[in-house]
Amino acid sequence: MKKYISVIVVAFFFLIWEIAARLNILDTQFIPAFSTVIKETLAMAASGDLFKHIFASLLRLFFGIGLAVLISLPLGFLLAGWTPRLSAFLNPLFTNLSMANPFTLIPVFMLLLGMGEVSKIGIIFWVTLWPALFSAISGVRQIDPVVLKAARAMGASGVKIFFAIILPGSVNRIFTGVKSSVTLGFTVLMGAEMIGSKAGLGFIIFTSNKNYNIPKLYVGILMIAITGALVNLLIEKMQKSIVVWEENVDRIM
Amino acid sequence: MPNKIELNNISQAYYIKSSETNKKVKFYALKDFTLSVSDGEFVVVVGPSGCGKSTLLDILSGLFKANSGSIAIDGQIVNGPALDRGFVMQSYALFPWRTIKKNVEFGLELKKIPKKERGEISASFIELVGLHGYENRYPYELSGGMKQRVAIARALAYDPKVLLMDEPFAAVDAQTREKLQDELVSIWQKTNKTIIFVTHSIEEAVTLADRVVVMTENPGTIKEIVPINLPRPRISVEAGISEAYSAFVSRIWGLLHNAEESFESARL
Ligand SMILES: Nc1ncnc2c1ncn2[C@@H]1O[C@H](COP(=O)(O)OP(=O)(O)OP(=O)(O)O)[C@@H](O)[C@H]1O
Ligand SMILES: [Mg+2]
């Protein structure tokens, strides 16, 4: 039911957009009609260009976010579980670092990592690291101490505690963090792909803007939104299929 | 009979903010608690809320070390938790991400018992607590009383020699409670486990215990130990409740009442 509602809402939005453009409520020079954007999208799809760009962006996001998750999980577990004092000490630092505007950091990444793929992936990594790290830390923290007590009372320790308690106890929170990471990753994509790239959804936006190709600019925006939503949906599906033990919150009013 | 458990001068204090002076004051959850429990004995602990019963079981389980005093099981000083003790906690503490079956099998996994055998053992204990058919449900799908029964099955499944039970039947209905009491007594008689059982129900204490330990609060100490030398079963449909049984109930009731009254007057 919820799903249908959101589909209807999105469809309605596009409809309003189209009508507003046709009635000249919108200045189509800056905001072309929805149908114009779709036409441009189809043209790019037909030439195969569109998929090249989507693929290039997805690959960068995959490596950037993958690396962020790969590093943040063990780091988060370590900070929350084994060295809570160190974590309390580092937390303000992490919070500050995470709040640095990623777009202002782009020149720094270019200087340090050059103009190639490394700096693009580096920016995505940097931005998506924080939500993943914070969710791993808070995921461990919110585990019910009583459950941990029960496991310990039976003599469980070390590896068993990790795999039987810590991991399943924090996985839901971690998924939520990764979803924020993905959203942020797509947001920063444009900035990352400004630097000497030849393909990518952010690249489309950047070059279309420069060349004043407005419909194409909107193709980029639309595609970032759509691919981002699809990737998030995929992760949500994964989360639901793994975390089967929680009461469905949708039921609670 | 050899002593299975020796509790020697256990004291556990917490520093709590006093409501009047806003200064931290020392508060004894347990003070100089000394008790010997013989092998195969069924000891029931009763006492007012907050007198340190759960604290006592926590310390016995090895989860916490008391501020002072020592515990020995079979002559060995207890230094931490182990599979020789089963602990049914006051809050059921089931693993939310494990099915009922997998919850019950947790201790068996730690014991490195092969999968097939684990399945057989868990099935029999799930049956025992009357949850047959719920094997693959998750805890959130169960009522409070059902969760409590899973916690009991989980503690029994790996066959610990000592059972620590913190109000294990508090959340079940009267009928299930009687059934579980009967089952516990029969398991106890068959397996010769040593049981330390906390309850707020005086009847339950008299029904189950070899000895009832009556505690007082602030500081948590033993007020009196009442041996219940009644033949078992103590309540049955045919025999009903005997006069001797009722006498024990009212005696313990009196002890608890006095305990509370003297606490009240101490505070005034
Ligand atoms: N971590 C703690 N910090 C401070 N005080 C504590 C802590 N744990 C327990 N206490 C105090 O110790 C006392 C004994 O607690 P305990 O849980 O053992 O009581 P209890 O006899 O099990 O009570 P109940 O019958 O209500 O379960 C209580 O007054 C409680 O407030
Ligand atoms: Mg208690």
Side-chain angles (χ1 to χ4, degrees), chain B residues 53-55 90 166-167 198 200:
Chain B
K53 304 181 295 295
S54 295
T55 306
Q90 193 167 1
D166 202 347
E167 302 183 33
V198 169
H200 277 290

Side-chain angles (χ1 to χ4, degrees), chain A residues 145-153, chain B residues 54 57-58 61 63 86-94 148 151-152 154-155 164-168:
Chain A
V146 165
V147 169
L148 207 59
K149 234 172 111 176
R152 287 224 187 274
Chain B
S54 295
L57 293 196
D58 275 354
S61 75
L63 283 168
F87 192 3
V88 181
M89 289 193 275
Q90 193 167 1
S91 45
Y92 330 117
L94 300 182
Q148 203 160 41
I152 294 164
R154 183 175 66 182
L164 310 168
M165 308 182 87
D166 202 347
E167 302 183 33

Side-chain angles (χ1 to χ4, degrees), chain A residues 5 57-58 65 69-70 94-95 99 106-107 121 123 135 152-153 155 162-163 171 174 177 181 185 187 196 199-200 209:
Chain A
I5 291 176
S57 289
L58 279 180
I65 298 172
V69 171
L70 226 58
F94 286 162
T95 312
M99 291 206 299
I106 291 172
I121 292 173
I123 290 165
S135 71
R152 287 224 187 274
F162 180 77
F163 284 105
V171 69
I174 288 168
S181 282
T187 312
N209 193 27

Side-chain angles (χ1 to χ4, degrees), chain B residues 10 17 44 56 86 110 186 201 216 244 266:
Chain B
I10 303 285
K17 253 199 192 128
V44 175
L56 177 71
L110 288 168
S186 89
S201 157
T216 56

Side-chain angles (χ1 to χ4, degrees), chain B residues 186-243:
Chain B
S186 89
I187 289 170
W188 167 67
Q189 285 170 332
K190 266 184 266 173
T191 57
N192 198 43
K193 289 183 197 303
T194 306
I195 301 180
I196 298 186
F197 186 109
V198 169
T199 182
H200 277 290
S201 157
I202 301 169
E203 283 81 8
E204 184 164 72
V206 176
T207 306
L208 297 174
D210 288 330
R211 285 190 295 161
V212 176
V213 174
V214 182
M215 289 181 67
T216 56
E217 69 178 328
N218 196 13
T221 49
I222 297 178
K223 181 180 173 85
E224 199 161 322
I225 297 177
V226 184
I228 313 287
N229 44 8
L230 291 173
R232 294 171 191 268
R234 289 171 179 166
I235 308 182
S236 63
V237 183
E238 308 88 57
I241 294 166
S242 69
E243 232 165 82

